Amino acid sequence: MAWKGVHLTKAARLSLADGQCCVKQDDGEVRVAIEDLAWIVIDTPQATLSSALLTACMDAGVVVVVTDARHTPSGLVLPFHRHHRQGAVARLQANAKESLKRRLWQLLVRRKILNQSAVLEAIGVADAGTLKEIARHVEPGDPDNVEARAARFYWGRLFPDFVREDAADRRNKLLNYGYAVARAGVARALVAAGLVPALGLGHQGAANAFNLADDVVEPFRPFVDYLAWKTSANGLGKEGDLSIDDRRAMAGVLLSDARTGEDTVTLLVAAETAAQSLVRALEDEKPDRLLLPFVPAPQAELLP
């Protein structure tokens, strides 16, 4: 079972050797078994990757994330659909009733808001519980856009003097880096479960190949937020570019602790659980089959 990630920030040569990912750098060589790998983030323009290794990564379901010149994740490589029930699962998605999709979107938005509440509780915000009440007002399909109302409440308390659209704010850089890695992990899990990432529930962009990933990643975003808060000096570090340590910290978000049911797992495992449970929800036409992660804070609550 995959449980490791590789984050490259220095010149490296990656190749396949004896069924392992071999990373050669000036100061030595490291090998990681392909079956243990879930993701590789190539965060340097000075890395080379052999086609044999890339093929092995696709065969094993390893997602490869690349970054641009500013060290912002800009793309990912996923395997073609290889699930043994690929056609059947795709038909489930394509034929899903609108009422079922609206209920699934309701659960995703509710869990996102409840996770936001748990994050605020974890950092000591006194009125964090208000978000729990807001979450109760999310209806199927969220026609009243309660998600946006919750976001306005949330961001004003998570970070002081914060504008989400401010690209120069270091906190936004941390968030964007972490969101990209979390999205890649969710997309990987969806493909492994036989789902088609382009066929979304709430997101329906005609040009978006990852509509479903953008749906399912919503409850995962607060995990990124919390990590960004800690990495940015408890939300106060507004200035500057991301350091290697910053990027390395955010690349590790998939190893954060999460709760699914009674179990504490990594966010990577939680993504796999969410994807597999989504298939069951579509098969049974029962949205409550969907099993989403929640932030492991003492006051976090579950809603049906």
Side-chain angles (χ1 to χ4, degrees):
M1 181 178 179
W3 58 282
K4 292 182 179 179
V6 171
H7 183 241
L8 294 171
T9 58
K10 298 190 298 183
R13 298 178 298 279
L14 286 79
S15 60
L16 183 68
D18 300 323
Q20 297 179 308
C21 173
C22 177
V23 182
K24 292 183 179 180
Q25 295 179 309
D26 291 342
D27 55 356
E29 174 183 307
V30 175
R31 295 191 178 194
V32 183
I34 292 290
E35 61 267 25
D36 290 345
L37 272 179
W39 76 95
I40 298 174
V41 178
I42 302 177
D43 192 359
T44 172
Q46 298 172 313
T48 60
L49 184 72
S50 74
S51 59
L53 176 61
L54 191 58
T55 297
C57 286
M58 296 303 98
D59 287 342
V62 180
V63 61
V64 180
V65 180
V66 296
T67 65
D68 61 20
R70 293 173 296 180
H71 301 287
T72 301
S74 59
L76 58 90
V77 184
L78 281 171
F80 284 134
H81 308 302
R82 301 174 63 88
H83 193 272
H84 67 285
R85 294 181 59 227
Q86 180 62 61
V89 176
R91 282 191 293 274
L92 282 173
Q93 281 184 267
N95 298 330
K97 296 176 182 177
E98 287 301 318
S99 58
L100 176 60
K101 290 193 287 186
R102 288 195 298 270
R103 279 284 287 129
L104 289 167
W105 180 243
Q106 176 189 29
L107 295 180
L108 287 163
V109 173
R110 279 188 173 182
R111 173 50 47 205
K112 176 184 180 180
I113 297 172
L114 289 173
N115 280 343
Q116 290 173 332
S117 175
V119 168
L120 294 185
E121 287 180 346
I123 68 174
V125 174
D127 56 352
T130 300
L131 282 173
K132 296 176 184 176
E133 181 58 32
I134 291 175
R136 298 182 188 279
H137 294 278
V138 179
E139 298 295 332
D142 192 19
D144 299 321
N145 202 10
V146 174
E147 181 185 13
R149 180 154 57 94
R152 288 192 294 271
F153 180 94
Y154 175 67
W155 290 114
R157 288 157 178 79
L158 182 65
F159 294 134
D161 188 26
F162 180 71
V163 178
R164 182 67 183 99
E165 293 76 20
D166 183 1
D169 191 322
R170 175 170 167 261
R171 296 167 297 186
N172 273 318
K173 297 173 187 178
L174 290 166
L175 291 170
N176 292 337
Y177 202 107
Y179 288 157
V181 173
R183 184 179 188 246
V186 167
R188 168 188 174 272
L190 295 174
V191 170
L195 293 157
V196 180
L199 301 179
L201 302 168
H203 291 84
Q204 300 288 344
N208 186 1
F210 295 97
N211 283 308
L212 187 61
D214 289 336
D215 291 332
V216 178
V217 80
E218 293 292 358
F220 291 74
R221 288 180 179 271
F223 292 86
V224 176
D225 304 341
Y226 188 34
L227 182 57
W229 182 86
K230 291 188 288 186
T231 305
S232 63
N234 294 354
L236 299 175
K238 181 178 180 179
E239 305 296 331
D241 293 324
L242 299 187
S243 67
I244 289 177
D245 287 342
D246 290 337
R247 285 150 31 210
R248 185 175 294 126
M250 299 314 297
V253 69
L254 291 172
L255 299 179
S256 300
D257 284 344
R259 293 290 302 277
T260 55
E262 298 299 320
D263 299 323
T264 299
V265 298
T266 65
L267 207 59
L268 178 69
V269 173
E272 296 169 351
T273 300
Q276 293 160 7
S277 69
L278 177 56
V279 174
R280 291 193 294 272
L282 293 170
E283 285 175 332
D284 299 341
E285 296 188 350
K286 293 183 177 179
D288 60 0
R289 295 284 191 266
L290 184 61
L291 190 57
L292 299 171
F294 58 98
V295 173
Q299 300 303 314
E301 292 183 359
L302 290 172
L303 284 178

